[in-house]
Amino acid sequence: MGQTTFHRRQWLSIQQAVNHLSAVAEEPLTSADLADLAEDYQLDLYWYRPGQLLTYTDGRGTLELDTPMRLCPENHSDWQAIAGILRHRPALPAYEQDTPLLEDAEGNRLRITFERSQRPEPFSNRWYPTFAELVVKRSQLEQLEPQIFSPREADSELKPDLLLNVIWELEQLALDGSKPGLSPAWLASELARRNGDIDRGAVERVLAAAEREGARQAY
């Protein structure tokens, strides 16, 4: 089965995933956005190197890789290195013949191996996936879309840098004694006027949500 047909049915290469998410978001995304999801343990990554030999960690034998296999995120340094590949930072083994842990559909653990005549150097990047060998499940990516691209996501959270700007400008307003008691819409507009990095709409939604929460707690 050809790789293109294979990916179209169930799997996406990293570039295909980036193209898909960019279309959904209607703005250009990069593989670094996928790295963020992986580092937050929201997105599974799979290694697809057809014909690669694998050995079971319990010693039951070897097999040949013919379908993508999930990379285990339990080892933090391994997982950081794998996410780094999505940021175009190729990974190298931390020690001799180091390689990430894999897991099949039944939960069995495996590692890649090589025949003696084809064994790469101990610290070769062949012990790690390349950018082109990482794939994701189409179904998982689609399940994440509502969460990633929710139009109301700003209601619940402010980015840390925006939050710091809001706090600072609120302090300045308090010191100025400017027009106390006015609406969240006015306050958001005033904050945006004072600091061009602040998203007026996002701040207004957060302030309105805070006002509703305060009113609810008063009863």
Side-chain angles (χ1 to χ4, degrees):
M1 183 184 296
Q3 184 171 339
T4 301
T5 303
F6 178 80
H7 283 162
R8 185 162 55 241
R9 290 182 176 179
Q10 187 178 0
W11 306 91
L12 294 172
S13 69
I14 297 303
Q15 190 57 55
Q16 287 170 329
V18 168
N19 293 344
H20 173 75
L21 290 178
S22 295
V24 172
E26 297 183 345
E27 62 178 274
L29 300 177
T30 70
S31 58
D33 295 292
L34 294 181
D36 291 340
L37 291 173
E39 287 177 339
D40 289 340
Y41 301 99
Q42 297 183 70
L43 182 66
D44 291 328
L45 298 175
Y46 293 77
W47 193 345
Y48 184 50
R49 184 187 287 173
Q52 173 67 56
L53 289 179
L54 305 172
T55 58
Y56 288 94
T57 57
D58 61 8
R60 75 174 69 180
T62 65
L63 74 157
E64 193 173 282
L65 186 63
D66 60 2
T67 186
M69 196 165 290
R70 178 178 174 267
L71 285 149
C72 297
E74 290 91 327
N75 185 309
H76 181 72
S77 60
D78 274 350
W79 194 243
Q80 289 294 109
I82 293 163
I85 295 170
L86 297 182
R87 303 182 193 279
H88 298 282
R89 295 198 297 262
L92 291 171
Y95 53 88
E96 187 172 350
Q97 298 172 8
D98 178 30
T99 186
L101 191 63
L102 296 161
E103 183 178 77
D104 67 13
E106 289 73 44
N108 300 306
R109 301 300 179 87
L110 306 98
R111 293 188 188 276
I112 67 168
T113 189
F114 296 91
E115 294 180 352
R116 187 179 299 274
S117 62
Q118 299 176 336
R119 196 175 187 85
E121 293 296 319
F123 293 95
S124 165
N125 60 6
R126 288 286 291 164
W127 296 98
Y128 266 78
T130 66
F131 183 89
E133 292 171 348
L134 290 174
V135 299
V136 296
K137 268 193 174 180
R138 178 190 291 272
S139 58
Q140 187 187 23
L141 206 63
E142 290 173 346
Q143 288 170 6
L144 284 171
E145 285 172 16
Q147 174 184 340
I148 300 169
F149 302 117
S150 171
R152 303 297 293 177
E153 63 184 358
D155 284 358
S156 60
E157 184 176 5
L158 282 174
K159 292 181 179 178
D161 56 343
L162 175 58
L163 182 58
L164 290 174
N165 284 336
V166 169
I167 291 170
W168 171 251
E169 296 299 346
L170 284 172
E171 289 177 351
Q172 298 308 300
L173 283 173
L175 290 173
D176 292 346
S178 303
K179 302 181 182 179
L182 294 182
S183 69
W186 175 86
L187 185 55
S189 178
E190 187 67 9
L191 288 169
R193 184 185 66 79
R194 287 169 171 256
N195 189 319
D197 292 333
I198 291 177
D199 182 334
R200 178 184 180 279
V203 175
E204 184 174 347
R205 288 194 293 272
V206 172
L207 291 173
E211 189 175 66
R212 290 194 301 270
E213 181 65 15
R216 185 185 68 79
Q217 292 180 5
Y219 288 99

Coordinates of all heavy atoms in Angstrom, one line a residue, residues 60-127:
R60 N 10.1 -11.3 24.0 CA 9.3 -12.3 23.3 C 9.7 -12.4 21.8 O 9.3 -13.3 21.1 CB 7.8 -12.0 23.4 CG 7.4 -10.8 22.5 CD 5.9 -10.7 22.5 NE 5.4 -10.2 23.8 CZ 4.1 -10.0 24.0 NH1 3.2 -10.3 23.1 NH2 3.7 -9.6 25.2
G61 N 10.5 -11.5 21.3 CA 11.0 -11.6 19.9 C 11.0 -10.3 19.2 O 11.0 -9.2 19.8
T62 N 11.0 -10.4 17.9 CA 11.1 -9.2 17.0 C 10.0 -9.2 16.0 O 9.3 -10.2 15.8 CB 12.5 -9.1 16.3 OG1 12.5 -10.2 15.4 CG2 13.6 -9.1 17.2
L63 N 9.7 -8.0 15.4 CA 8.8 -7.9 14.3 C 9.2 -6.7 13.4 O 10.1 -6.0 13.8 CB 7.4 -7.7 14.8 CG 6.9 -6.4 15.4 CD1 5.4 -6.2 15.3 CD2 7.4 -6.2 16.8
E64 N 8.6 -6.6 12.3 CA 8.9 -5.5 11.4 C 7.8 -4.5 11.4 O 6.6 -4.9 11.3 CB 9.0 -6.1 9.9 CG 9.7 -5.2 8.9 CD 10.0 -5.9 7.6 OE1 11.0 -6.6 7.5 OE2 9.2 -5.7 6.7
L65 N 8.1 -3.3 11.5 CA 7.2 -2.2 11.6 C 6.4 -2.0 10.2 O 7.1 -1.8 9.2 CB 7.9 -0.9 11.9 CG 7.0 0.3 12.2 CD1 6.1 0.1 13.4 CD2 7.8 1.6 12.5
D66 N 5.1 -2.2 10.2 CA 4.4 -2.0 9.0 C 3.2 -1.1 9.2 O 2.4 -0.9 8.3 CB 3.9 -3.4 8.5 CG 3.0 -4.1 9.4 OD1 2.7 -3.5 10.5 OD2 2.5 -5.2 9.1
T67 N 3.0 -0.5 10.4 CA 2.0 0.5 10.6 C 2.5 1.4 11.7 O 3.4 1.1 12.5 CB 0.7 -0.2 11.1 OG1 -0.3 0.8 11.3 CG2 0.9 -0.9 12.5
P68 N 2.1 2.7 11.7 CA 2.6 3.6 12.7 C 2.4 3.1 14.2 O 1.4 2.5 14.5 CB 1.8 4.9 12.5 CG 1.4 4.8 11.1 CD 1.1 3.4 10.8
M69 N 3.4 3.3 15.0 CA 3.3 2.8 16.4 C 3.5 4.0 17.3 O 4.4 4.8 17.1 CB 4.4 1.7 16.6 CG 4.1 0.9 17.9 SD 5.1 -0.6 18.0 CE 4.3 -1.6 16.7
R70 N 2.7 4.0 18.4 CA 2.6 5.1 19.3 C 4.0 5.3 20.1 O 4.5 4.3 20.6 CB 1.5 4.9 20.3 CG 1.4 6.0 21.3 CD 0.2 5.8 22.2 NE 0.1 6.7 23.3 CZ 0.6 6.5 24.5 NH1 1.3 5.3 24.8 NH2 0.6 7.4 25.5
L71 N 4.4 6.5 20.1 CA 5.6 6.8 21.0 C 5.1 7.1 22.4 O 4.2 7.9 22.6 CB 6.3 8.0 20.4 CG 7.1 7.8 19.1 CD1 7.2 9.0 18.2 CD2 8.6 7.3 19.5
C72 N 5.8 6.5 23.4 CA 5.4 6.6 24.8 C 5.9 7.9 25.3 O 7.1 8.2 25.2 CB 5.9 5.4 25.6 SG 5.2 3.8 25.1
P73 N 5.0 8.7 26.0 CA 5.4 10.0 26.6 C 5.9 9.9 28.0 O 6.3 11.0 28.6 CB 4.1 10.8 26.5 CG 3.1 9.8 26.7 CD 3.6 8.5 26.1
E74 N 6.0 8.7 28.6 CA 6.3 8.7 30.0 C 7.7 9.2 30.4 O 7.9 9.8 31.4 CB 6.2 7.2 30.5 CG 4.8 6.7 30.6 CD 4.4 6.0 29.3 OE1 4.8 6.4 28.2 OE2 3.6 5.0 29.4
N75 N 8.7 8.9 29.5 CA 10.0 9.4 29.7 C 10.1 10.9 29.3 O 10.0 11.2 28.1 CB 11.1 8.6 28.9 CG 12.5 9.0 29.3 OD1 12.9 10.2 29.2 ND2 13.3 8.0 29.6
H76 N 10.2 11.8 30.2 CA 10.1 13.2 29.9 C 11.2 13.7 28.9 O 10.9 14.4 28.0 CB 10.2 14.0 31.2 CG 10.1 15.5 31.0 ND1 8.9 16.1 30.7 CD2 11.0 16.5 31.1 CE1 9.0 17.4 30.6 NE2 10.3 17.7 30.8
S77 N 12.4 13.2 29.1 CA 13.5 13.7 28.2 C 13.3 13.2 26.8 O 13.5 13.9 25.8 CB 14.9 13.3 28.8 OG 14.9 11.9 28.8
D78 N 12.8 11.9 26.7 CA 12.5 11.4 25.4 C 11.4 12.2 24.7 O 11.5 12.6 23.5 CB 12.1 9.9 25.5 CG 13.2 9.0 25.4 OD1 14.3 9.4 25.1 OD2 13.0 7.8 25.7
W79 N 10.3 12.5 25.5 CA 9.2 13.2 24.9 C 9.5 14.6 24.5 O 9.1 15.1 23.5 CB 8.0 13.2 25.9 CG 6.7 13.5 25.3 CD1 5.9 14.6 25.7 CD2 6.0 12.8 24.3 NE1 4.8 14.6 24.9 CE2 4.8 13.6 24.0 CE3 6.3 11.7 23.5 CZ2 3.9 13.2 23.1 CZ3 5.3 11.3 22.6 CH2 4.2 12.0 22.4
Q80 N 10.4 15.3 25.3 CA 10.8 16.6 24.9 C 11.6 16.6 23.7 O 11.5 17.5 22.8 CB 11.6 17.2 26.1 CG 10.8 17.6 27.3 CD 9.9 18.7 27.1 OE1 8.6 18.5 27.1 NE2 10.3 19.9 26.9
A81 N 12.4 15.6 23.5 CA 13.2 15.5 22.3 C 12.4 15.2 21.1 O 12.6 15.8 20.0 CB 14.3 14.3 22.4
I82 N 11.3 14.4 21.2 CA 10.4 14.1 20.1 C 9.6 15.3 19.7 O 9.5 15.6 18.6 CB 9.5 12.9 20.5 CG1 10.4 11.6 20.6 CG2 8.4 12.7 19.5 CD1 9.7 10.5 21.4
A83 N 9.1 16.0 20.7 CA 8.4 17.3 20.4 C 9.3 18.3 19.8 O 8.9 19.0 18.9 CB 7.8 17.9 21.7
G84 N 10.6 18.3 20.2 CA 11.6 19.1 19.5 C 11.8 18.9 18.0 O 12.1 19.8 17.3
I85 N 11.6 17.6 17.6 CA 11.7 17.3 16.2 C 10.6 18.0 15.4 O 10.9 18.5 14.3 CB 11.5 15.7 16.0 CG1 12.7 15.0 16.7 CG2 11.4 15.4 14.5 CD1 12.5 13.5 16.8
L86 N 9.4 18.2 16.0 CA 8.4 19.0 15.4 C 8.8 20.5 15.2 O 8.2 21.2 14.4 CB 7.1 18.9 16.1 CG 6.5 17.5 16.3 CD1 5.1 17.6 17.0 CD2 6.2 16.9 14.9
R87 N 9.7 20.9 16.0 CA 10.3 22.3 16.0 C 11.5 22.3 15.1 O 12.3 23.2 15.1 CB 10.6 22.8 17.4 CG 9.4 22.8 18.3 CD 9.7 23.4 19.6 NE 8.7 23.1 20.6 CZ 7.6 23.8 20.8 NH1 7.3 24.8 20.0 NH2 6.7 23.5 21.7
H88 N 11.7 21.2 14.3 CA 12.9 21.1 13.4 C 14.2 21.1 14.2 O 15.2 21.6 13.7 CB 12.8 22.2 12.4 CG 11.6 22.1 11.5 ND1 11.5 21.2 10.4 CD2 10.5 22.8 11.5 CE1 10.3 21.4 9.9 NE2 9.7 22.4 10.5
R89 N 14.2 20.4 15.3 CA 15.4 20.2 16.1 C 15.6 18.7 16.2 O 15.0 18.0 17.0 CB 15.3 20.7 17.5 CG 15.1 22.2 17.6 CD 15.4 22.8 18.9 NE 14.5 22.3 20.0 CZ 13.5 23.0 20.4 NH1 13.2 24.2 19.9 NH2 12.7 22.5 21.3
P90 N 16.4 18.1 15.2 CA 16.6 16.6 15.2 C 17.1 16.1 16.5 O 17.9 16.8 17.2 CB 17.6 16.4 14.1 CG 17.5 17.6 13.2 CD 17.1 18.8 14.1
A91 N 16.6 15.0 16.9 CA 17.0 14.4 18.2 C 18.2 13.4 18.1 O 18.2 12.7 17.1 CB 15.8 13.7 18.9
L92 N 19.1 13.4 19.1 CA 20.2 12.4 19.1 C 20.1 11.7 20.4 O 19.6 12.2 21.4 CB 21.5 13.2 19.0 CG 21.8 13.8 17.7 CD1 23.1 14.7 17.9 CD2 22.0 12.8 16.6
P93 N 20.5 10.4 20.4 CA 20.5 9.6 21.7 C 21.3 10.3 22.8 O 22.3 10.9 22.6 CB 21.2 8.3 21.3 CG 21.0 8.2 19.8 CD 21.1 9.7 19.3
A94 N 20.7 10.2 24.0 CA 21.4 10.7 25.2 C 22.5 9.9 25.6 O 23.4 10.3 26.3 CB 20.4 11.0 26.3
Y95 N 22.4 8.6 25.3 CA 23.5 7.6 25.7 C 23.5 6.6 24.6 O 22.7 6.6 23.7 CB 23.3 7.0 27.1 CG 21.9 6.4 27.3 CD1 21.7 5.1 26.9 CD2 20.9 7.1 27.8 CE1 20.4 4.5 27.1 CE2 19.6 6.6 28.0 CZ 19.4 5.2 27.7 OH 18.2 4.7 27.9
E96 N 24.5 5.7 24.7 CA 24.7 4.7 23.6 C 23.5 3.9 23.2 O 22.9 3.3 24.1 CB 25.9 3.8 24.0 CG 26.3 2.9 22.9 CD 27.6 2.1 23.2 OE1 28.2 2.4 24.3 OE2 28.0 1.2 22.4
Q97 N 23.1 4.0 22.0 CA 22.0 3.2 21.4 C 20.7 3.5 22.1 O 19.8 2.6 22.1 CB 22.4 1.7 21.4 CG 23.6 1.3 20.6 CD 24.1 -0.1 20.7 OE1 23.4 -0.9 21.4 NE2 25.2 -0.4 20.2
D98 N 20.6 4.7 22.6 CA 19.3 5.1 23.2 C 18.3 5.2 22.1 O 18.5 5.7 21.0 CB 19.5 6.5 23.9 CG 18.3 7.0 24.5 OD1 17.4 6.2 24.9 OD2 18.2 8.2 24.6
T99 N 17.0 4.8 22.4 CA 15.9 5.0 21.4 C 14.6 5.1 22.2 O 14.5 4.5 23.3 CB 15.9 3.8 20.4 OG1 14.9 4.0 19.4 CG2 15.6 2.5 21.1
P100 N 13.7 5.9 21.7 CA 12.4 6.0 22.4 C 11.6 4.7 22.6 O 11.7 3.8 21.7 CB 11.6 7.0 21.6 CG 12.7 7.7 20.8 CD 13.7 6.7 20.5
L101 N 10.8 4.7 23.6 CA 9.9 3.5 23.8 C 8.7 3.6 23.0 O 8.1 4.7 22.9 CB 9.6 3.4 25.3 CG 8.9 2.2 25.8 CD1 9.9 1.0 25.7 CD2 8.6 2.4 27.3
L102 N 8.3 2.5 22.4 CA 7.0 2.4 21.6 C 6.0 1.5 22.2 O 6.3 0.7 23.1 CB 7.4 1.9 20.2 CG 8.3 2.7 19.4 CD1 9.0 1.9 18.2 CD2 7.6 3.9 18.8
E103 N 4.8 1.7 21.8 CA 3.7 0.9 22.4 C 2.7 0.5 21.3 O 2.3 1.3 20.5 CB 2.9 1.7 23.4 CG 1.8 0.9 24.1 CD 1.1 1.7 25.2 OE1 0.3 2.6 24.8 OE2 1.4 1.5 26.4
D104 N 2.4 -0.8 21.2 CA 1.5 -1.3 20.1 C 0.0 -1.2 20.6 O -0.2 -0.7 21.8 CB 1.8 -2.7 19.7 CG 1.6 -3.8 20.7 OD1 1.0 -3.5 21.8 OD2 2.1 -4.9 20.5
A105 N -0.9 -1.6 19.8 CA -2.3 -1.4 20.1 C -2.7 -2.2 21.3 O -3.7 -1.9 22.0 CB -3.2 -1.8 18.9
E106 N -2.0 -3.3 21.7 CA -2.3 -4.1 22.8 C -1.6 -3.7 24.1 O -1.7 -4.3 25.1 CB -2.0 -5.6 22.6 CG -2.9 -6.3 21.6 CD -2.7 -5.8 20.1 OE1 -1.5 -5.7 19.7 OE2 -3.7 -5.5 19.5
G107 N -0.8 -2.6 24.0 CA -0.1 -2.1 25.2 C 1.3 -2.7 25.4 O 1.9 -2.4 26.4
N108 N 1.7 -3.5 24.4 CA 3.1 -4.1 24.5 C 4.1 -3.0 24.2 O 3.9 -2.2 23.3 CB 3.2 -5.3 23.6 CG 2.2 -6.4 23.8 OD1 2.1 -6.9 24.9 ND2 1.5 -6.8 22.8
R109 N 5.2 -3.1 24.9 CA 6.3 -2.1 24.7 C 7.4 -2.7 23.8 O 7.8 -3.8 24.0 CB 6.9 -1.7 26.1 CG 5.9 -1.1 27.1 CD 5.3 0.2 26.4 NE 4.3 0.8 27.3 CZ 4.5 1.7 28.2 NH1 5.8 2.0 28.5 NH2 3.5 2.2 28.9
L110 N 7.9 -1.8 23.0 CA 8.9 -2.2 22.0 C 10.0 -1.1 21.8 O 9.7 0.1 22.1 CB 8.3 -2.5 20.6 CG 7.2 -3.5 20.6 CD1 5.8 -2.8 20.5 CD2 7.3 -4.4 19.4
R111 N 11.1 -1.5 21.3 CA 12.2 -0.5 20.9 C 12.7 -0.9 19.5 O 12.6 -2.1 19.2 CB 13.3 -0.5 21.9 CG 12.9 0.1 23.2 CD 14.2 0.3 24.1 NE 13.9 0.7 25.5 CZ 13.6 1.9 25.9 NH1 13.7 2.9 25.0 NH2 13.3 2.2 27.1
I112 N 13.2 0.0 18.7 CA 13.7 -0.3 17.4 C 15.0 -1.0 17.6 O 15.7 -0.9 18.6 CB 13.9 0.9 16.5 CG1 14.9 1.9 17.1 CG2 12.6 1.6 16.4 CD1 15.3 2.9 16.1
T113 N 15.4 -1.8 16.6 CA 16.7 -2.5 16.6 C 17.1 -2.7 15.2 O 16.4 -2.4 14.2 CB 16.5 -3.9 17.3 OG1 17.8 -4.5 17.5 CG2 15.7 -4.9 16.5
F114 N 18.4 -3.1 15.0 CA 18.9 -3.2 13.7 C 19.7 -4.6 13.5 O 20.2 -5.1 14.5 CB 19.9 -2.1 13.4 CG 19.3 -0.7 13.3 CD1 19.2 0.0 14.5 CD2 18.7 -0.2 12.2 CE1 18.6 1.3 14.5 CE2 18.1 1.1 12.2 CZ 18.1 1.8 13.3
E115 N 19.6 -5.1 12.3 CA 20.5 -6.3 12.1 C 22.0 -5.8 12.2 O 22.3 -4.7 11.9 CB 20.2 -6.8 10.7 CG 18.8 -7.4 10.6 CD 18.5 -8.0 9.2 OE1 19.4 -7.8 8.3 OE2 17.5 -8.6 9.0
R116 N 22.8 -6.8 12.5 CA 24.2 -6.4 12.8 C 24.9 -5.7 11.6 O 25.6 -4.7 11.8 CB 25.0 -7.7 13.1 CG 26.4 -7.4 13.6 CD 27.1 -8.7 13.9 NE 26.5 -9.4 15.0 CZ 26.7 -9.2 16.3 NH1 27.6 -8.3 16.6 NH2 26.1 -9.9 17.2
S117 N 24.6 -6.1 10.4 CA 25.2 -5.5 9.2 C 24.7 -4.1 9.0 O 25.3 -3.3 8.2 CB 25.0 -6.4 8.0 OG 23.6 -6.5 7.7
Q118 N 23.5 -3.7 9.5 CA 22.9 -2.4 9.2 C 22.9 -1.5 10.5 O 22.3 -0.5 10.4 CB 21.5 -2.6 8.7 CG 21.4 -3.4 7.4 CD 20.0 -3.7 7.0 OE1 19.0 -3.7 7.8 NE2 19.8 -3.9 5.7
R119 N 23.5 -1.9 11.5 CA 23.5 -1.2 12.8 C 24.2 0.2 12.6 O 25.3 0.2 12.2 CB 24.2 -2.0 13.9 CG 23.9 -1.6 15.3 CD 24.5 -2.5 16.3 NE 24.1 -2.3 17.6 CZ 23.1 -2.8 18.2 NH1 22.2 -3.5 17.5 NH2 22.8 -2.5 19.5
P120 N 23.5 1.2 12.9 CA 24.1 2.6 12.8 C 25.1 2.8 14.0 O 25.1 2.0 14.9 CB 22.9 3.5 12.9 CG 21.9 2.8 13.7 CD 22.1 1.3 13.4
E121 N 25.8 3.9 13.9 CA 26.7 4.3 15.0 C 25.8 4.5 16.3 O 24.7 4.9 16.2 CB 27.4 5.6 14.6 CG 28.4 5.5 13.5 CD 29.5 4.6 13.8 OE1 30.0 4.7 15.0 OE2 29.9 3.8 13.0
P122 N 26.5 4.3 17.4 CA 25.7 4.4 18.7 C 25.0 5.7 18.9 O 23.9 5.7 19.5 CB 26.8 4.2 19.8 CG 27.9 3.4 19.1 CD 27.9 3.8 17.7
F123 N 25.5 6.8 18.5 CA 24.9 8.1 18.7 C 24.3 8.7 17.4 O 24.0 9.9 17.3 CB 25.9 9.1 19.4 CG 26.2 8.7 20.8 CD1 27.4 8.0 21.0 CD2 25.4 9.0 21.8 CE1 27.8 7.6 22.3 CE2 25.8 8.6 23.1 CZ 26.9 7.9 23.4
S124 N 24.0 7.8 16.5 CA 23.4 8.3 15.2 C 21.9 8.7 15.5 O 21.2 8.1 16.3 CB 23.4 7.1 14.2 OG 22.6 7.4 13.1
N125 N 21.5 9.6 14.7 CA 20.0 10.0 14.8 C 19.1 9.0 14.2 O 17.9 9.1 14.3 CB 19.8 11.4 14.1 CG 20.1 11.4 12.6 OD1 20.4 10.3 12.0 ND2 20.0 12.5 12.0
R126 N 19.6 7.9 13.7 CA 18.8 6.8 13.2 C 18.1 6.1 14.4 O 17.1 5.4 14.2 CB 19.6 5.7 12.5 CG 20.1 6.2 11.1 CD 18.9 6.2 10.1 NE 18.4 4.9 9.7 CZ 17.3 4.6 9.1 NH1 16.5 5.6 8.8 NH2 16.9 3.4 8.9
W127 N 18.5 6.4 15.6 CA 17.9 5.8 16.8 C 16.6 6.6 17.2 O 15.9 6.1 18.1 CB 18.8 5.7 18.0 CG 20.0 4.8 17.7 CD1 21.3 5.2 17.3 CD2 20.0 3.4 17.8 NE1 22.1 4.1 17.2 CE2 21.3 2.9 17.5 CE3 19.1 2.4 18.2 CZ2 21.7 1.6 17.5 CZ3 19.5 1.1 18.2 CH2 20.8 0.7 17.9

